[in-house]
Amino acid sequence: GSDHHKHVNQIYVIGPPQDTEIIAPALAQELKVPCDVVHPAAALRLKKIPREQTPNAGAALGLAAGKLDARGLPFDFLNPKRPAAPGLNKRTKILLYAATVSILALLLAGLRTHWIRQRLRTKATVQEQVNSAAKQVNLYRQIQYQARTLRNWMDQDRRWLDHIAYLSAVLPACRDLYLTSLSTSSRGALYLTVKARNGETISTLDRRLRAAGYEVKPASVIPTGDRYGYEFQAGFELEIPPDLQINLTQLEYSPRPEDDGSLDSTPPAGSSRGRNRRNRAESVEKGGETGE
């Protein structure tokens, strides 16, 4: 049962007396190692068992001794040619269990620390985003309000520039009437305020607006003094029907008066500012003639 690298200093032989008396001297002479015969009855102090019967119980005694020994015997009596696995005593087992528990505790503590650090990094990142968003909350609200306004405007499909161009063609010539204010409402209505030379011009505008497809509420006409001769002021509220179609290519605009000086200005005609204004005036007149 011993390992091969250990030196054997003593051999004990157990068995029937007629065999051991021959085997013991032969082994001592062959192996050059002291070899003695063991008598279990004498070693175990078994007085009631005959001495000649105890050698036959050597295997049973060895198994019992190996079972009762806390460390275990290095010889397996059931498998004599196979070295017995070294047993573990109680203290060694307790130390192994304690070491295993300590390793598991350290492993769990390391995992817990790693997870906590990972969650803290995630929390710091989210907190930074929250702080950055909190600084921009007013901008976000403004963008939301603008986006909602644009969506409502797109859903209503109000083409205000088309209506302004359309009204420019519907209004009478500026010698008889001119526009003082133009505004819109959230429900899609147009509000006009005009000044006219006489009440007939206001009636003409009312008929033209109705003929253009607008739903016109009764106008409030107020006499007013004006140094240019426009003696009446009127306000119109125009409802835009959903099926109103505007074709800008077929509009006809009133020609500008020959003595219209609104495009003239104080800068000399030869200056760059004067030339730019005159060029814009010519382009406006051309646009009015072609209906663009």
Side-chain angles (χ1 to χ4, degrees), residues 236-265:
F236 292 87
E237 180 180 350
L238 309 181
E239 295 287 344
I240 304 174
D243 56 348
L244 179 61
Q245 300 293 331
I246 298 177
N247 189 354
L248 298 179
T249 60
Q250 298 180 357
L251 298 180
E252 296 182 0
Y253 297 89
S254 302
R256 302 184 66 85
E258 295 180 358
D259 58 349
D260 185 4
S262 61
L263 297 177
D264 295 334
S265 59

Side-chain angles (χ1 to χ4, degrees), residues 116-136:
I116 290 176
R117 290 178 179 176
Q118 187 176 7
R119 295 299 185 273
L120 289 176
R121 286 194 296 267
T122 303
K123 177 185 176 182
T125 302
V126 174
Q127 187 64 43
E128 184 178 357
Q129 295 176 356
V130 170
N131 295 337
S132 177
K135 297 178 181 178
Q136 305 293 334

Side-chain angles (χ1 to χ4, degrees), residues 171-181 193-197 201 226 228 230 232:
L171 293 176
C174 60
R175 290 185 179 276
D176 301 325
L177 178 144
Y178 69 91
L179 185 67
T180 60
S181 67
T193 303
V194 298
K195 280 192 174 183
R197 292 188 180 276
T201 303
D226 187 272
Y228 300 108
Y230 296 87
F232 294 91

Side-chain angles (χ1 to χ4, degrees), residues 17 21 40 106 114 121 145 159 232 239 241 281 286:
E21 297 297 334
L106 291 175
H114 172 71
R121 286 194 296 267
Y145 175 76
R159 303 177 182 269
F232 294 91
E239 295 287 344
K286 292 180 180 178

